[in-house]
Amino acid sequence: MFRLFCVLFVSSFPLVAQVIPRPMAEKSAAGNLRLGPEVKVAFPEGGEALLAPMLRHAGLKASAAGAADAVVKFQTPAAGDKIASGEGYRLKITPDGVTIVATTPAGRLYGWQSFVQIAEAAEKSDGTTSLACREIADKPRFAWRGYMLDESRHFTGEAGVKRLLDAMSRYKLNRFHWHLTDSPGWRIEIKRYPELTRTGGRGNESDLRPDAPAQFYTQDQVRDIVAYAKERGIIVIPEIDMPGHADAAVKAYPEHDGGGFLQKGRTDKWPRFTFNPAKKETLEFLDHILDEVASLFPDAGVIHFGGDEVHFGWHKWPELPEVQDLMKRENLKQLADVETWFNRRMAGKINQLGFKTGGWDEIAARELPADQTLVWWWRHDKPQVLRQALDAGYPVVLCPRRPCYFDFVQHESHQTGRRWGGFNPLQDVYQFPKGLDLSDADANQVLGIQACLWTEAAVTQARRDFLTWPRLIALAEAAWTPEKRKDFASFETRLKSQLAWLEGHGIGFYDPFAGSPEVSDKGAKPEYPDKPE
Ligand code: TNX
């Protein structure tokens, strides 16, 4: 019945498409709504400060009004409305005004975002903005629409993150996966262990000086960013990577060293890659860190504990007396069993704190409880690992390197950035996850999709922007819009005006239409936008 309704709704619709991500269903109607420069809005309670400024780019000023005078009104849906619930909304534009029907703050925000984009694209003359009348019924394809930012290799900082969250919310993305710790730097203040940031926060991938400035988020900044994201419908998922990618923490607290590896001919990379996976004091140290993380991210639902690439740096484990004891005591035969034991131990702690455990796809082999664990599938060359995770019953976030890693280049002509049997052009991001060949049962376990920006080769903010945009807009539509409504040609048409929005908000991007010059890292020096310590 619902499906039939959608088909009728969509097919009777001539072209009024201006919104990204493309709505589930749109239908044009006769007439226009004419707006003067000031638009009276009956804002939902407490919504004015957030929503009003968003209309500025449309050349309009939103001012608060009572329901009787307002041109834009918010309503709650009739009982049983399956669209205008959760993150969904209905938007109706008639010659008399605009109605946004939604149940939740996210639904109201998304209805407003769509209205804003329509107003931006509307015809303007003599101080009048004319919006073609229409109806939209919209809700997301995937519950998880994410972006991951690596803050360790190069640090973005509060202003850059807030700007990113603004843009994510405009495109209805709702998960910010915050990769806060890794080998080059520890970026989150932990009160109990101040050296984590004082020492572990110094330097980055391209600045190895021992006295490099420390860059990190204070707990106040973290709380502020989490609240800022929440207002914009975004949940922040913290990642504290363990037992690998641990150099920065071990530099600060060497008693937790589990050893690492030295790349050939180098002494700087990464000699303290792992935590000692079996030492009682180290496990307690990690417990205490997780206690503070849990209190800073009360709504995250999941704490991501990394779990990736451990075997790259576990060669010293057999020499550690604590590992030897553990293997004897627990009758563990190989290092992979030690990794499993460690994962289960730390996942138990995360679960006790009331969170699910998140981890990279290596954890699919670590025997964690399927109802308490989320797996991020990232190794595109290992479809068997996705299969393993699904078969084991884990909910999965899809973020395979191809096409979801934005440290890969996006155009053939680009010289810097990764390639791996190809690269990640806009269109591949847009098409995703088509071609993955998931059964209906599999699809039920897929929470959604996510792009990841690793920042080894993204020294400057201009470079991070260049890698991110406009690919993240393509990912947003892939995450939101039903497969049947996706259309790359239509997307490209709509994308053009979004580039102007990015520009107006000081966000850099690659212009695929003009083939703008590559913003590379060649000769770039790391930036220290926040006051260095
Ligand atoms: C692999 S993705 C990593 C990261 C690197 C990335 C570079 C993952 C779980 N681990 O540590 O930054 O490749 O593309």
Side-chain angles (χ1 to χ4, degrees):
M1 177 63 193
F2 171 65
R3 208 169 256 176
L4 179 69
F5 163 79
C6 287
V7 170
L8 291 174
F9 204 43
V10 174
S11 58
S12 62
F13 152 71
L15 197 77
V16 286
Q18 276 135 3
V19 178
I20 291 188
R22 193 178 200 188
M24 179 184 78
E26 301 176 77
K27 184 171 69 167
S28 69
N32 287 287
L33 167 66
R34 291 181 212 292
L35 298 173
E38 192 168 330
V39 182
K40 292 197 159 73
V41 182
F43 287 107
E45 214 186 310
E48 183 182 357
L50 175 70
L51 301 181
M54 293 173 182
L55 201 56
R56 273 191 216 136
H57 188 73
L60 299 171
K61 185 178 177 307
S63 60
D69 300 323
V71 177
V72 183
K73 293 176 197 157
F74 290 82
Q75 285 178 0
T76 45
D81 188 327
K82 289 217 171 68
I83 293 169
S85 67
E87 294 177 305
Y89 67 93
R90 293 175 188 277
L91 172 66
K92 193 168 179 180
I93 303 178
T94 72
D96 300 327
V98 177
T99 316
I100 294 167
V101 181
T103 311
T104 68
R108 288 191 279 273
L109 169 67
Y110 292 158
W112 177 258
Q113 296 283 29
S114 294
F115 162 64
V116 163
Q117 289 187 23
I118 291 165
E120 285 168 1
E123 235 172 80
K124 293 176 181 75
S125 69
D126 296 337
T128 301
T129 303
S130 297
L131 278 62
C133 292
R134 75 193 74 191
E135 273 180 58
I136 289 178
D138 202 10
K139 63 176 191 149
R141 173 179 180 184
F142 289 115
W144 189 289
R145 307 180 300 280
Y147 178 70
M148 188 218 79
L149 179 65
D150 170 6
E151 293 268 19
S152 176
R153 275 57 178 264
H154 290 101
F155 185 69
T156 288
E158 192 175 353
V161 165
K162 286 187 171 169
R163 205 187 55 155
L164 170 71
L165 293 167
D166 288 343
M168 285 177 64
S169 137
R170 174 174 170 92
Y171 299 111
K172 306 185 175 94
L173 293 163
N174 67 355
R175 293 290 186 283
F176 177 50
H177 172 172
W178 214 5
H179 187 78
L180 286 163
T181 73
D182 211 302
S183 292
W186 183 281
R187 308 298 184 200
I188 176 171
E189 179 189 27
I190 300 295
K191 299 270 190 206
R192 188 168 177 143
Y193 303 117
E195 291 307 321
L196 280 173
T197 43
R198 208 181 282 155
T199 302
R202 289 191 187 279
N204 53 53
E205 185 82 12
S206 50
D207 186 352
L208 301 170
R209 293 172 300 155
D211 61 346
Q215 290 187 292
F216 60 90
Y217 297 97
T218 64
Q219 293 204 348
D220 282 345
Q221 284 178 312
V222 169
R223 271 188 285 268
D224 183 45
I225 285 172
V226 167
Y228 190 91
K230 185 176 180 179
E231 250 199 301
R232 285 157 183 74
I234 299 167
I235 295 175
V236 185
I237 312 296
E239 181 182 350
I240 307 295
D241 209 340
M242 61 182 82
H245 294 269
D247 285 81
V250 174
K251 180 168 76 173
Y253 292 94
E255 60 270 37
H256 303 305
D257 192 3
F261 66 104
L262 292 172
Q263 279 177 359
K264 258 195 206 140
R266 294 189 68 161
T267 52
D268 50 2
K269 286 204 158 180
W270 302 106
R272 299 163 292 214
F273 185 74
T274 63
F275 291 114
N276 185 324
K279 190 172 171 180
K280 182 169 164 282
E281 291 78 6
T282 302
L283 300 168
E284 286 167 1
F285 167 76
L286 293 171
D287 284 346
H288 295 144
I289 290 171
L290 289 169
D291 287 336
E292 292 193 30
V293 169
S295 76
L296 289 169
F297 297 89
D299 305 321
V302 42
I303 293 177
H304 196 300
F305 78 158
D308 55 317
E309 300 182 323
V310 182
H311 64 280
F312 284 146
W314 66 13
H315 316 295
K316 293 261 163 37
W317 284 7
E319 296 164 27
L320 303 173
E322 296 86 357
V323 171
Q324 293 166 0
D325 286 353
L326 174 76
M327 291 181 84
K328 241 182 267 153
R329 195 173 75 233
E330 299 283 333
N331 193 23
L332 308 178
K333 299 279 182 265
Q334 45 187 350
L335 290 185
D337 299 335
V338 175
E339 185 183 335
T340 296
W341 183 89
F342 172 88
N343 273 208
R344 289 171 62 93
R345 163 68 178 75
M346 296 316 303
K349 168 69 185 179
I350 291 171
N351 296 158
Q352 268 168 27
L353 287 167
F355 291 76
K356 294 195 174 167
T357 308
W360 299 105
D361 63 31
E362 286 88 338
I363 70 162
R366 304 270 81 90
E367 299 162 37
L368 299 169
D371 61 344
Q372 291 297 318
T373 310
L374 274 56
V375 173
W376 271 245
W377 180 56
W378 67 281
R379 289 177 292 177
H380 72 289
D381 55 332
K382 293 194 187 324
Q384 70 275 19
V385 174
L386 172 60
R387 191 69 268 150
Q388 177 186 25
L390 291 168
D391 287 348
Y394 293 112
V396 173
V397 176
L398 302 172
C399 55
R401 275 179 291 226
R402 302 272 321 275
C404 295
Y405 274 22
F406 286 1
D407 55 340
F408 280 60
V409 302
Q410 58 185 310
H411 191 267
E412 232 178 313
S413 65
H414 295 170
Q415 303 290 317
T416 43
R418 299 185 76 199
R419 292 167 190 263
W420 184 325
F423 53 94
N424 293 341
L426 190 65
Q427 186 159 9
D428 287 11
V429 177
Y430 187 81
Q431 301 300 349
F432 189 71
K434 199 173 178 190
L436 264 192
D437 198 21
L438 299 168
S439 70
D440 287 351
D442 293 341
N444 283 335
Q445 272 170 256
V446 171
L447 296 174
I449 66 177
Q450 174 179 310
C452 300
L453 183 66
W454 299 102
T455 57
E456 287 96 331
V459 178
T460 63
Q461 186 59 50
R463 168 90 176 140
R464 291 188 287 277
D465 283 353
F466 179 80
L467 292 170
T468 301
W469 306 101
R471 286 189 289 192
L472 192 55
I473 302 180
L475 183 109
E477 184 148 315
W480 179 280
T481 305
E483 192 62 50
K484 277 196 198 132
R485 287 274 291 160
K486 282 170 67 182
D487 178 296
F488 188 63
S490 148
F491 172 74
E492 280 188 303
T493 313
R494 285 172 288 126
L495 181 60
K496 286 187 184 138
S497 52
Q498 302 307 319
L499 299 184
W501 185 87
L502 291 174
E503 200 159 12
H505 289 76
I507 299 176
F509 53 87
Y510 168 60
D511 182 340
F513 307 108
S516 59
E518 181 176 12
V519 178
S520 89
D521 266 346
K522 279 205 190 97
K525 296 250 176 348
E527 298 163 327
Y528 295 102
D530 297 336
K531 241 188 272 148
E533 218 181 59

